[in-house]
Amino acid sequence: MLVMIGRGLEVAGISNAPFTIALRSLGRRKSRMTLIGLLVVLGTFLIVFGGTFATSAQIGSKQAIIGNFTGDLVLYSSKSKDLPSPFSFTTPLPPVENANGLQDWLASRNDVSKFVGIAQNYGLISVEKDGKKLDLSFLFYAVDAPRYQDTFNNLAIKTGAYFGVPGSGTEDGILLSTRQHQQYIDKYGINLQPGDKVTLLSVTGGGAVNAVPTTVRGIFDPVKYANVFDYVNYMDIGTYGKLYNFTGVAEGSLPTEMDSAFGASSDEDIFALADSAAFDTLDVDSLKVQTLTGYTMLSVKFKEGADQQAFSNALKEQGFAVKTATWDKASSFFSSIAGILQAVIVGIVLLIFLIVVFILMNTLIINILERTGEIGTYRALGADKSFVSAIFLWESLILNLAAALTGIVLSLMLIFIIGPGGISLPLIISQYLVGGGPLQMIITPGPFVFGLLLVLVVSFLATLYPTRVAVSVSPLKAMSGK
Amino acid sequence: MKSVQNNTQAHDTIIRLSDVTKEYFLGSTKVEALKGVSFEITKGEFTAIAGPSGSGKSTILNMIGCIDNPTAGHILIGGDDVSSLPDKKLTKYRRSTISFIFQSFNLIPVLNVYENIELPLLLEKGLDEKTRRERVMRLIEEVGLADRLKNKPNELSGGQRQRVAIARALVTNPLVILADEPTANLDSATGAKILELMQELNQREGTTFLFSTHDQHIMTLARRVIAIKDGLIVGDDRKGA
Ligand SMILES: Nc1ncnc2c1ncn2[C@@H]1O[C@H](COP(=O)(O)OP(=O)(O)OP(=O)(O)O)[C@@H](O)[C@H]1O
Ligand SMILES: [Mg+2]
C-alpha cells in the first residue's frame, strides 16, 4: 500500500523523494520505531476495542431499558412535576387521567406495537403470626397483568405462577420478588407461599386505611437489572384500584346539583341535598362507573420505523392530559451509566495518547538530533525546509498509520474471537451496565473512525514540534564531519 | 565600505569576495575567523585554498556556499550579492548555482548510488524522468561506478563514496563546485585519485572547482593556490597556463 502511495505521488508529479527517504529511514531504526509503533498499536487497540465495548454497552443498556422498563416512550400525567423514573414508589406521580381513553387510543394506532399501564406505589401486607398482626411493607408496580407480560416479559417465576390468563380466576393478587420473600422470612419469620391469603392495606395521605384481601400468586426473580430491582413486587391493577379507591362515578354523568353537593364543605349543604329534587329523580342507569385505573405511567413500544414525532403530534391533538418522556429521560440514571463508562474509557485513552504523544515527540526529537548531519546535507544540496519537514511528517504518518491499522485489525480479531456469545462480565458490573448477562459486542463504525482520526491527528501534532526542530537545522551541520 | 558595484570584470569572474570578515562569539570572547579577505574566481579555474588548521578555509567555503553569512564585506556569485540574502534565496543558490563535495562524503544512507546522484535533480522541479536518467547515467559512467548503481553507500569504499559525491555535485551543472578537504577522510593514494578525477572533470566539462586542503601533495595538483593564515590571504600563486 505504501509503495502505491509513493507511486501515486510520482504520477501526480510530486517528488516522492521525502516519502522514499522516510519509508527507508524507518527501516533503519527498527527497534526504536517498533517501540513507538507498539505504543500506538496499544493506544489504537484500546480506543477501538474500548470504544466498541462502550458503544455496545450503550446499545445493550438502551435495549435492556426499553425492553424491560420504559418502552420507547413513557406517557405520564401532565400535572406531574417530576419525570417518571423506575424508582418513584414513595412519591408516586399523579395518576394519568382518562387512562382508559388513552389506552383505547393507543390500541387504535398502528405505529404502536405494545403498551402497558403501570402504577408505582407502596402499601402493607397484613398477616397474622402467633395471634399477633404484623404489617409488612411492600413496594410494588401495579400492572395490567397480561399486557405487562406481553410488553415486558421480564419476570422469571420461581414458584407459583404469573397472574394467569384472564378468566382463570387467578388473575388478581400479588407477586413477590425472591429477595422480598426472603426478607420477610429473615426479618419476621413469615414465609409467604403461592396460594396464601393475605390482606393488603393502603396508606393514603389522609391517613385512611383500606383493607383488600388478596392472594400471593408467585415468587419471581427479575430477568434484567436483578440487583437493582429485586425489592420491587407486583400487583394486578384491579386489586390496586380497590386498595386505593380508584373507582368512582365518571365525571359529567352526575346531575350538577349533586356534583356540587359532593363537593360541599358544610353539613348544611349536604342536608340540603336530601331536599333537592334531583336526588329524587336521580336515574341510576345514567350514572357511569369510571374506573380510575391509578396508572402513573403508560409505557409505549413503537413498531420498527415508526415516526415518533408524528405520534407525539397526534397525541397532542387528542388533548389527553399527559406529557411524554423518552426512554432515556424516564430511566433515572440508568441510561447514563453506559455513557459515563464511555466517557471514562475515552478519558483513559486520551491519557494514554497524551503519554504516547510525549514518547513519540521525544523519540522523534532524538531521531532528528541524530540526523542533523543528514538534514544539513539536504539543506546544503538546496532542499527547501518543506522537503525536510515532509520527510519527518511522512515518517510519523507511515509509522502511526501502520500501527493504527494494526491496532484496528487486532481489535477486530478480538471482537470476532469474542463472537456472538458476548463478553461475560462480573455480575455487578453487567447488572448496572446492561441489566445483566454477557455484553454483546456490536461493531459500529464510530470507534474505528474515531480511533483512526485520533491517531492521525495525534501523530500530526506530535510531529509538529520535532519537525520545527528539524527544519531549523542549519546546512552548516553538513560540514561537521563524523 | 567600498563599492563593488562598478567593478565589472573583463574576463569571466564568477565569484568575487571583497573585504569579507567573519567574527564568531564564544561566550563573550570574539574570534576573528576572517579579517578582510578579497579574491576572485574565474570560470573554469581549479583552485585550492591552503592553510593550517584554524586559518579560515572552511569559513570561506561556507560563505561562498551560501550556508553562512559574512559579518562584513560582500560575496558576489555570478554577479549577484549573496552576503545578506534570506534563507529561501540562499537555498535556491545552493540548489541551482553551487554544489558541494564534503569531507565526510555526506551521501544519504538510505538511497542507493543512482538515487543519491539523482537527488539534487529531484529538488529542482520540472525535470522529467528521462532527462534525469540520462544525466545521472552519464555521470555514473564518468566517475566509473556504472556497475554499482544499486549499491547503498555503506556497501562502498571511501573513494567510491567520494566519486558518488562528485557525480552528485556535477549533476546540476553548477557554476562552481566547492569542496572542503575532499580527501581528508581518504588514504593519500585514494585522495590523489579523487583529485585527479576532479581535475579531469574540470578539463573535460569546464567545471570550476574551489577546494580546501592542507595536504602538500594535493596542493600541487591545483593550478592556483590561495594561501591563507590567521584569516588573511598570504599568497595567491597561479601555475603558468
Ligand atoms: N562556529 C564557530 N564558532 C566559533 N568559532 C568558530 C566557529 N567556526 C569556526 N570557528 C573558528 O574560526 C576559525 C577558522 O575556522 P575554520 O573552520 O574556517 O578553519 P579551517 O581552516 O577550516 O581549519 P581546519 O583545517 O581545521 O578545518 C578557527 O579559529 C575556528 O576556531
Ligand atoms: Mg575546515
Side-chain angles (χ1 to χ4, degrees):
Chain A
M1 188 193 69
L2 298 174
V3 175
M4 272 166 53
I5 295 175
R7 197 68 227 168
L9 286 174
E10 208 166 36
V11 170
I14 303 160
S15 140
N16 70 351
F19 176 82
T20 308
I21 291 167
L23 188 59
R24 295 190 196 163
S25 299
L26 283 174
R28 275 171 62 88
R29 289 172 174 75
K30 275 205 186 79
S31 57
R32 184 183 301 160
M33 293 306 164
T34 309
L35 190 77
I36 297 187
L38 284 178
L39 268 172
V40 176
V41 168
L42 182 73
T44 313
F45 172 79
L46 284 177
I47 198 154
V48 172
F49 188 78
T52 302
F53 184 92
T55 308
S56 303
Q58 220 158 25
I59 294 170
S61 75
K62 178 181 175 181
Q63 282 170 349
I65 290 169
I66 290 178
N68 295 283
F69 294 130
T70 63
D72 298 296
L73 200 66
V74 172
L75 313 184
Y76 63 109
S77 169
S78 52
K79 286 183 192 142
S80 175
K81 288 187 192 70
D82 303 314
L83 278 170
S85 141
F87 310 108
S88 320
F89 299 102
T90 49
T91 51
L93 302 184
V96 174
E97 281 170 38
N98 192 12
N100 285 334
L102 189 53
Q103 294 199 67
D104 289 344
W105 183 75
L106 288 172
S108 74
R109 296 219 34 117
N110 50 19
D111 50 358
V112 170
S113 81
K114 278 163 188 172
F115 65 90
V116 62
I118 298 169
Q120 296 160 327
N121 213 329
Y122 69 104
L124 297 168
I125 301 177
S126 182
V127 291
E128 236 173 90
K129 194 194 174 208
D130 310 328
K132 277 202 299 186
K133 288 229 170 198
L134 271 177
D135 293 339
L136 315 176
S137 66
F138 177 66
L139 293 173
F140 60 85
Y141 280 13
V143 296
D144 176 340
R147 243 184 210 297
Y148 187 80
Q149 197 175 26
D150 184 41
T151 311
F152 302 127
N153 189 11
N154 61 1
L155 304 182
I157 301 294
K158 267 174 54 181
T159 46
Y162 193 70
F163 294 102
V165 282
S168 68
T170 65
E171 68 267 33
D172 70 310
I174 58 172
L175 302 176
L176 294 177
S177 76
T178 305
R179 168 152 171 231
Q180 183 77 82
H181 173 248
Q182 191 59 44
Q183 236 174 21
Y184 290 161
I185 294 172
D186 296 345
K187 243 173 143 172
Y188 307 104
I190 290 179
N191 185 355
L192 290 173
Q193 285 300 324
D196 285 0
K197 305 282 180 199
V198 293
T199 302
L200 297 173
L201 303 177
S202 65
V203 186
T204 59
V209 172
N210 263 355
V212 176
T214 192
T215 313
V216 176
R217 293 297 176 193
I219 296 166
F220 70 91
D221 281 319
V223 174
K224 288 281 181 181
Y225 293 98
N227 288 8
V228 192
F229 281 89
D230 57 359
Y231 62 88
V232 177
N233 307 286
Y234 283 83
M235 181 186 298
D236 75 285
I237 194 68
T239 306
Y240 181 64
K242 282 181 218 157
L243 191 60
Y244 279 85
N245 288 338
F246 285 121
T247 314
V249 178
E251 223 177 302
S253 67
L254 206 62
T256 25
E257 295 112 279
M258 289 189 74
D259 214 12
S260 59
F262 284 141
S265 51
S266 74
D267 288 352
E268 257 172 73
D269 289 345
I270 293 175
F271 287 122
L273 178 69
D275 301 331
S276 128
F279 197 73
D280 299 327
T281 60
L282 184 64
D283 177 4
V284 180
D285 292 340
S286 78
L287 294 180
K288 281 189 229 139
V289 173
Q290 182 191 41
T291 322
L292 282 169
T293 59
Y295 289 135
T296 52
M297 55 194 235
L298 279 107
S299 290
V300 177
K301 282 186 179 174
F302 290 108
K303 287 184 181 149
E304 195 126 340
D307 180 351
Q308 300 199 18
Q309 192 53 49
F311 173 89
S312 293
N313 293 344
L315 178 67
K316 225 170 260 161
E317 250 166 56
Q318 292 293 313
F320 291 109
V322 288
K323 295 194 272 196
T324 59
T326 48
W327 68 275
D328 49 327
K329 299 276 185 322
S331 53
S332 185
F333 59 89
F334 273 85
S335 60
S336 44
I337 290 177
I340 291 166
L341 174 84
Q342 192 157 33
V344 168
I345 288 180
V346 167
I348 292 172
V349 167
L350 288 181
L351 207 71
I352 291 173
F353 265 90
L354 210 64
I355 297 166
V356 169
V357 167
F358 277 106
I359 297 177
L360 188 62
M361 256 170 77
N362 256 311
T363 316
L364 289 175
I365 287 175
I366 292 171
N367 195 15
I368 283 160
L369 294 181
E370 281 179 0
R371 286 162 72 181
T372 51
E374 182 188 334
I375 297 166
T377 304
Y378 296 127
R379 300 285 283 123
L381 293 179
D384 282 315
K385 288 182 172 184
S386 62
F387 183 92
V388 174
S389 57
I391 291 176
F392 291 97
L393 285 171
W394 271 124
E395 279 191 25
S396 176
L397 185 69
I398 294 166
L399 176 68
N400 290 314
L401 195 65
L405 291 176
T406 309
I408 284 174
V409 168
L410 283 180
S411 307
L412 276 175
M413 275 166 59
L414 187 62
I415 291 168
F416 280 114
I417 288 168
I418 290 164
I423 305 176
S424 29
L425 299 166
L427 193 62
I428 185 73
I429 293 174
S430 96
Q431 281 292 340
Y432 278 97
L433 214 49
V434 290
L439 173 68
Q440 304 289 325
M441 291 297 271
I442 299 159
I443 296 178
T444 52
F448 291 87
V449 174
F450 180 61
L452 200 62
L453 281 181
L454 189 69
V455 170
L456 293 183
V457 168
V458 157
S459 63
F460 178 73
L461 291 180
T463 314
L464 276 186
Y465 177 69
T467 302
R468 278 183 52 179
V469 173
V471 298
S472 70
V473 170
S474 157
L476 273 172
K477 290 286 177 192
M479 302 300 161
S480 39
K482 277 159 223 170
Chain B
M1 288 288 108
K2 77 175 121 163
S3 168
V4 288
Q5 242 53 16
N6 302 328
N7 276 355
T8 34
Q9 292 305 123
H11 49 297
D12 278 343
T13 301
I14 53 171
I15 292 168
R16 176 192 292 168
L17 277 71
S18 38
D19 213 10
V20 169
T21 64
K22 179 71 181 178
E23 293 167 0
Y24 292 107
F25 284 92
L26 286 172
S28 56
T29 43
K30 189 163 82 175
V31 181
E32 283 186 275
L34 296 178
K35 298 169 182 166
V37 170
S38 304
F39 65 86
E40 287 168 11
I41 299 288
T42 328
K43 188 162 172 34
E45 277 189 330
F46 194 72
T47 310
I49 299 179
S53 184
S55 55
K57 305 184 292 292
S58 298
T59 306
I60 289 174
L61 287 173
N62 291 346
M63 288 190 299
I64 297 171
C66 297
I67 61 178
D68 209 352
N69 292 317
T71 307
H74 294 273
I75 298 169
L76 273 74
I77 295 175
D80 304 323
D81 194 339
V82 298
S83 29
S84 53
L85 287 178
D87 178 78
K88 243 194 144 57
K89 293 252 170 66
L90 293 177
T91 304
K92 183 142 176 42
Y93 271 99
R94 295 196 297 267
R95 182 159 63 232
S96 45
T97 313
I98 298 154
S99 283
F100 288 100
I101 296 168
F102 305 90
Q103 182 180 331
S104 320
F105 324 130
N106 290 31
L107 299 181
I108 305 305
V110 296
L111 299 180
N112 64 29
V113 167
Y114 181 91
E115 292 163 333
N116 261 292
I117 299 171
E118 188 191 26
L119 182 61
L121 297 180
L122 293 174
L123 301 175
E124 197 72 71
K125 287 172 186 71
L127 282 171
D128 60 64
E129 157 112 56
K130 187 164 165 282
T131 314
R132 295 200 307 260
R133 174 156 278 279
E134 278 168 13
R135 280 214 221 166
V136 174
M137 289 313 293
R138 193 177 65 82
L139 283 165
I140 286 179
E141 303 275 351
E142 293 261 30
V143 300
L145 285 171
D147 55 338
R148 312 307 295 265
L149 284 190
K150 298 277 176 208
N151 287 84
K152 291 279 167 65
N154 63 0
E155 296 159 351
L156 303 176
S157 70
Q160 287 173 325
R161 286 182 210 189
Q162 201 60 306
R163 282 165 191 273
V164 177
I166 290 169
R168 179 177 68 182
L170 276 159
V171 79
T172 54
N173 287 326
L175 195 63
V176 62
I177 292 180
L178 305 172
D180 193 3
E181 314 230 18
T183 59
N185 278 340
L186 301 170
D187 61 77
S188 52
T190 314
K193 282 224 178 79
I194 286 295
L195 222 80
E196 278 159 21
L197 175 65
M198 284 164 57
Q199 230 175 5
E200 260 175 60
L201 290 166
N202 167 254
Q203 272 151 25
R204 208 164 342 125
E205 315 267 332
T207 315
T208 313
F209 280 88
L210 178 61
F211 60 95
S212 71
T213 186
H214 51 232
D215 184 319
Q216 212 50 52
H217 175 64
I218 298 293
M219 259 177 261
T220 59
L221 295 170
R223 270 183 290 146
R224 177 182 172 195
V225 177
I226 300 174
I228 180 166
K229 201 179 171 209
D230 292 337
L232 285 169
I233 291 178
V234 293
D236 191 343
D237 302 324
R238 287 167 209 261
K239 278 183 199 165

